[in-house]
C-alpha cells in the first residue's frame, strides 16, 4: 500500500521581497541623509569657499553665453552715434539729412502741383500712359550645382533661356514696364540681369584688359578715395591731402573707360565667347565703390578678383501699369489682369 505524499505548501515570497525593498529604501534614505549632512557641514564650515565656487560658475556661464550671442557680431546698435559739433562726420551727416529733407519736400510740393491746373488742363483729365508705372516684378534666383559656378557658357545659356520664356513671348510688350525716354517709340524696360553683360551688343576686349591692368590694389584704393569727388562732385572734403592733379586725371580717365564698357551692356548681342574675361572684369569693377552697384547684384559674397566664381545669381523682369483694358490707372487692377 502506497502512502500518499503529503502536499508541500508553496513558499511565500512576498514577505522577503517587501523586506528587501524596504531595506533598500532605508539604505537610500540613510545615504541621502549622510550626503545632505556632509553638504550642510561643508557650507557651514567653509561659506567663503562655497560662495566663490558659485560665483565662479555664474561667471563661466555668463562668459559662455556672451561668446555665443556675440559670435556673429553686435546684436544691438551701440549707443555711440552721438552728435559731436566738432566732428566732421556729424556735420556731414547733418548736411545729408538736411539735403534729404529738402529733396523730400521738393517732391511733395511737385506732386501737389500735379493735381492743380497746368496750362489750363487738369492732370486727371490727361489719360495716363500705358505701362508707365511699375506694377510687379518677376524675381529669378539661380543656383549652380557645380564648382565652376554660374558664369560659364552652359550656366549663362540656361539663365538666358529662362528669361527668354518671357522676353521672347509675343505678348510680352503688352505687359512689360515701358521706357518712355523715346516717347514716339517706347521700349520695354531692360531686365536687371547678368546676361545683359555677357550678351552685350559690343565687347571691347582690348579696353577690358586695359582697365583690369590699371586696377591694381593701390589704384583701386586711390579710385575709391577720389571717385566720389571727381565724378560726382561730392564728399570732396574727405579727399586725401596727398592726392595730386595727376591722380584725379587718372580717375577721370579710368572712369570714362569703364563708362564706355557699361554703355554696351544691353543684352542684345550673342554670348561672349570669353566668359572668363567678362567675369574677371566684373570682379575688378566690384571693388570700386561708385561702380559696384552696376554689378554687385549679380553675384554672391564669395565672388572676388581672386575667385571670380559665383554659386548664386539673380535677375528681375519688370511689369508695367496701367495695362490696356484695365478700368483705372491703379497698379492693383493691372496686377489682377497680369494674374489672368
Amino acid at each position: 500500500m502506497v502512502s500518499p505524499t503529503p502536499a508541500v505548501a508553496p513558499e511565500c515570497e512576498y514577505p522577503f521581497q517587501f523586506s528587501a525593498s524596504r531595506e533598500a529604501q532605508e539604505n537610500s534614505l540613510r545615504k541621502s541623509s549622510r550626503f545632505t549632512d556632509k553638504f550642510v557641514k561643508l557650507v557651514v564650515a567653509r561659506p567663503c569657499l562655497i560662495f566663490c565656487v558659485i560665483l565662479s560658475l555664474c561667471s563661466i556661464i555668463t562668459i559662455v553665453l556672451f561668446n555665443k550671442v556675440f559670435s556673429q557680431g553686435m546684436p544691438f546698435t551701440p549707443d555711440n552715434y552721438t552728435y559731436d559739433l566738432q566732428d566732421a562726420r556729424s556735420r556731414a551727416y547733418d548736411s545729408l539729412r538736411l539735403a534729404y529733407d529738402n529733396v523730400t519736400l521738393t517732391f511733395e510740393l511737385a506732386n501737389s502741383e500735379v493735381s492743380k491746373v497746368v496750362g489750363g488742363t487738369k492732370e486727371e483729365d490727361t489719360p495716363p500712359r500705358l505701362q508707365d508705372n511699375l506694377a510687379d516684378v518677376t524675381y529669378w534666383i539661380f543656383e549652380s550645382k557645380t564648382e565652376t559656378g554660374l558664369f560659364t557658357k552652359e550656366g549663362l545659356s540656361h539663365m538666358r533661356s529662362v528669361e527668354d520664356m518671357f522676353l521672347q513671348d509675343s505678348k510680352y510688350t503688352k505687359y512689360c514696364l515701358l521706357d518712355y525716354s523715346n516717347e514716339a517709340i517706347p521700349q520695354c524696360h531692360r531686365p536687371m540681369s547678368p546676361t545683359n553683360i555677357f550678351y552685350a551688343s559690343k565687347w571691347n576686349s582690348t579696353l577690358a584688359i586695359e582697365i583690369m591692368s590699371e586696377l591694381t590694389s593701390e589704384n583701386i584704393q586711390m579710385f575709391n578715395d577720389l571717385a566720389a569727388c571727381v565724378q560726382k562732385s561730392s564728399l570732396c572734403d574727405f579727399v586725401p591731402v596727398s592726392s595730386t592733379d595727376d591722380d584725379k586725371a587718372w580717375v577721370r580717365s579710368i572712369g570714362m573707360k569703364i563708362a564706355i564698357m557699361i554703355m554696351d551692356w544691353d543684352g542684345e548681342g550673342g554670348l561672349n565667347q570669353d566668359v572668363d574675361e567678362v567675369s574677371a572684369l566684373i570682379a575688378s569693377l566690384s571693388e570700386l565703390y561708385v561702380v559696384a552697384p552696376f554689378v554687385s547684384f549679380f553675384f554672391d559674397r564669395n565672388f572676388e578678383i581672386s575667385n571670380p566664381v559665383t554659386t548664386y545669381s539673380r535677375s528681375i523682369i519688370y511689369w508695367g501699369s496701367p495695362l490696356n483694358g484695365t478700368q483705372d490707372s491703379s497698379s492693383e487692377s493691372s496686377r489682377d489682369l497680369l494674374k489672368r
Side-chain angles (χ1 to χ4, degrees), residues 26-95:
E26 291 177 352
N27 291 335
S28 177
L29 289 174
R30 284 195 295 270
K31 292 179 180 179
S32 177
S33 177
R34 287 197 299 269
F35 175 81
T36 304
D37 292 343
K38 291 181 178 179
F39 180 78
V40 171
K41 290 179 180 179
L42 178 62
V43 172
V44 173
R46 301 180 180 276
C48 294
L49 176 61
I50 298 300
F51 173 79
C52 293
V53 170
I54 295 175
L55 185 62
S56 300
L57 288 175
C58 292
S59 300
I60 293 173
I61 294 173
T62 301
I63 293 172
V64 171
L65 292 176
F66 184 89
N67 290 333
K68 185 175 181 61
V69 170
F70 290 87
S71 59
Q72 302 299 324
M74 178 66 176
F76 310 104
T77 301
D79 188 22
N80 56 3
Y81 297 104
T82 54
Y83 186 85
D84 184 359
L85 185 60
Q86 305 301 323
D87 194 327
R89 293 171 297 179
S90 296
R91 296 194 296 272
Y93 176 77
D94 261 357
S95 300

Side-chain angles (χ1 to χ4, degrees), residues 3 65 78 137 142 144 180:
S3 60
L65 292 176
V137 299
F142 302 95
S144 174
Y180 280 88

Side-chain angles (χ1 to χ4, degrees), residues 134-155:
L134 179 64
D136 209 342
V137 299
T138 298
Y139 198 111
W140 288 98
I141 298 178
F142 302 95
E143 179 182 6
S144 174
K145 297 298 183 182
T146 63
E147 296 182 355
T148 55
L150 287 170
F151 293 166
T152 62
K153 291 184 179 180
E154 181 182 1

Side-chain angles (χ1 to χ4, degrees), residues 33 41 47 73 87 119 139 149 152 170 197 208 210 239 277 281 299 304 308 318 323-324:
S33 177
K41 290 179 180 179
D87 194 327
Y139 198 111
T152 62
S170 59
I197 307 175
E210 183 179 343
V239 171
E277 181 180 278
L281 179 63
F299 50 78
E304 56 186 4
Y318 303 98
L323 297 176
N324 189 19

Side-chain angles (χ1 to χ4, degrees), residues 175-193:
Y175 301 97
C176 66
L177 176 65
L178 290 179
D179 181 5
Y180 280 88
S181 55
N182 183 359
E183 295 193 10
I185 310 176
Q187 301 291 329
C188 287
H189 196 283
R190 185 182 304 155
M192 181 181 291
S193 170

